[in-house]
Amino acid sequence: MHIAEGFLPPLHAAAWTAVAAPFVIHGTRAISRTIKEHPEAKLLLGAAGAFTFVLSAIKLPSVTGSSSHPTGTGLGAVIFRPPVMAALGTIVLLFQALLLAHGGLTTLGANVFSMAVVGPWVGYAAFRLLGRAPFSVRIFAAMALANLATYVMTATQLALAFPGQNGFVGAWSAFLGIFAITQVPLAVIEGLVGVLIFKALRSWAGPELSALGVFSRRRDHAGTKVDEAIHA
Amino acid sequence: MRKHASTLAILLAIVALFAVAMVLGTRQSTGDGETFIGTDSAATTHIEENHPGYTPWFQPIFEPSSGEVESGLFALQAALGAGALGFVLGTMRERRRQRRSAADDSSRPVSDPEPACDAAELQSRG
């Protein structure tokens, strides 16, 4: 989903940087607050960052004949709330821009906004809205939609910058054809990976996750029920 | 055992999905040039074709000098991430094991209804 270096007109590049910056600053503060309030959750924070780091390095072939990578931002968004992912995602994108020439410094703002802001927020919203559904369904939706939303946002950003003769809608569907369709099976795969990793985290870091409020809603009903099923 | 069965089912589903996407993708690619090119470069190509007047106004300050170097750096990224994730998960697993055994051999009079949380609290303080 990286927009390549120099491939956004200067005005767009500046605008997306301005839009993304407050989220990243807020996210950095959110990380230090989280560490202060929940020192026991440092390991989980590391897990969320590492998960995004490894997933965004793996490029997978997909149905459209092109390949793309998962984002892994849904996991941290669900555990720590989306602002934390704005900061963690920026680190990943900076690494790729500086060392791999994937993405870029001029397009960093736009890439941060799609992968580290929109993706996590959409995933978190899905997780919250599905409050009554079984836990694994909520995780699956959060991970898959965080992934997909990132690519839809990238297509939107490129369509805004390069509307072409067909206008915004025509360009948007063209870019969606490149990004979103490729991403659908990968989003489903990421959702399934998310269910697996959460199973591990639940059994190994249950108290930390509870302290962070991941299971706080309806713990008496769905929460304990799912917990029992996992430990059975 | 149910736990392992569902894990296995999910793993199989991931492999199956991956295989289907790969087969469909291979049929999609027209045969000219590389198959499974990255979407990032597909988007760049699309822009270059439709907006021949546009020239990128900034170049990456560092670019891997060959595909080999690039894939090596990608592998490094994946290795760093996977290494850190594995370390964290392993530490958590061990931590839970210790919590459990601490809760098990606490022969002192049980005053706390939730020994697991008590152990967690002790650990975070220590």
Side-chain angles (χ1 to χ4, degrees), chain A residues 4-230:
Chain A
E5 185 79 283
F7 268 90
L8 276 183
L11 195 66
H12 286 256
W16 287 116
T17 306
V19 171
F23 286 95
V24 179
I25 294 167
H26 178 225
T28 316
R29 289 204 191 122
I31 287 185
S32 50
R33 198 174 52 237
T34 305
I35 290 176
K36 206 178 286 173
E37 286 171 10
H38 302 280
E40 77 284 358
K42 268 185 218 156
L43 276 177
L44 271 176
L45 195 65
F51 188 66
T52 297
F53 208 67
V54 60
L55 282 203
S56 59
I58 302 172
K59 289 187 267 186
L60 300 167
S62 185
V63 285
T64 48
S66 60
S67 56
S68 190
H69 62 86
T71 60
T73 53
L75 182 77
V78 166
I79 300 177
F80 291 105
R81 298 184 31 79
V84 168
M85 287 320 292
L88 292 182
T90 303
I91 298 173
V92 176
L93 286 167
L94 206 55
F95 179 94
Q96 295 191 313
L98 292 175
L99 282 178
L100 295 162
H102 269 246
L105 295 175
T106 60
T107 53
L108 187 65
N111 290 330
V112 163
F113 191 72
S114 61
M115 187 180 122
V117 177
V118 171
W121 273 107
V122 168
Y124 183 73
F127 181 77
R128 277 279 171 242
L129 289 174
L130 288 170
R132 283 180 179 282
F135 197 79
S136 33
V137 172
R138 298 172 70 194
I139 291 295
F140 175 83
M143 304 284 293
L145 290 177
N147 177 322
L148 205 56
T150 300
Y151 283 81
V152 172
M153 190 64 219
T154 302
T156 311
Q157 289 167 329
L158 284 174
L160 284 171
F162 299 99
Q165 308 99 307
N166 304 325
F168 172 76
V169 178
W172 196 49
S173 54
F175 284 115
L176 277 179
I178 294 173
F179 287 113
I181 314 291
T182 311
Q183 209 58 27
V184 170
L186 301 185
V188 175
I189 289 175
E190 180 170 346
L192 292 174
V193 171
V195 173
L196 284 185
I197 195 129
F198 237 91
K199 273 178 131 183
L201 290 179
R202 274 192 91 136
S203 53
W204 296 337
E208 286 92 342
L209 288 173
S210 297
L212 287 164
V214 178
F215 309 130
S216 65
R217 297 276 168 93
R218 269 178 277 280
R219 198 195 294 192
D220 297 330
H221 306 282
T224 39
K225 223 173 119 195
V226 178
D227 244 333
E228 278 163 12
I230 277 173

Side-chain angles (χ1 to χ4, degrees), chain B residues 40-108:
Chain B
D40 295 0
S41 25
T44 313
T45 312
H46 179 84
I47 294 170
E48 278 166 346
E49 278 168 4
N50 290 277
H51 302 266
Y54 186 84
T55 40
W57 56 282
F58 201 84
Q59 295 302 319
I61 36 183
F62 166 78
E63 210 161 352
S65 41
S66 72
E68 278 69 23
V69 177
E70 188 187 344
S71 62
L73 285 167
F74 264 112
L76 181 70
Q77 186 189 340
L80 287 173
L85 190 63
F87 173 80
V88 167
L89 291 178
T91 309
M92 281 173 174
R93 190 162 175 260
E94 181 60 20
R95 192 195 257 183
R96 184 191 67 147
R97 205 183 60 79
Q98 288 185 354
R99 260 179 208 159
R100 284 243 167 122
S101 63
D104 282 348
D105 51 49
S106 62
S107 49
R108 63 203 148 90

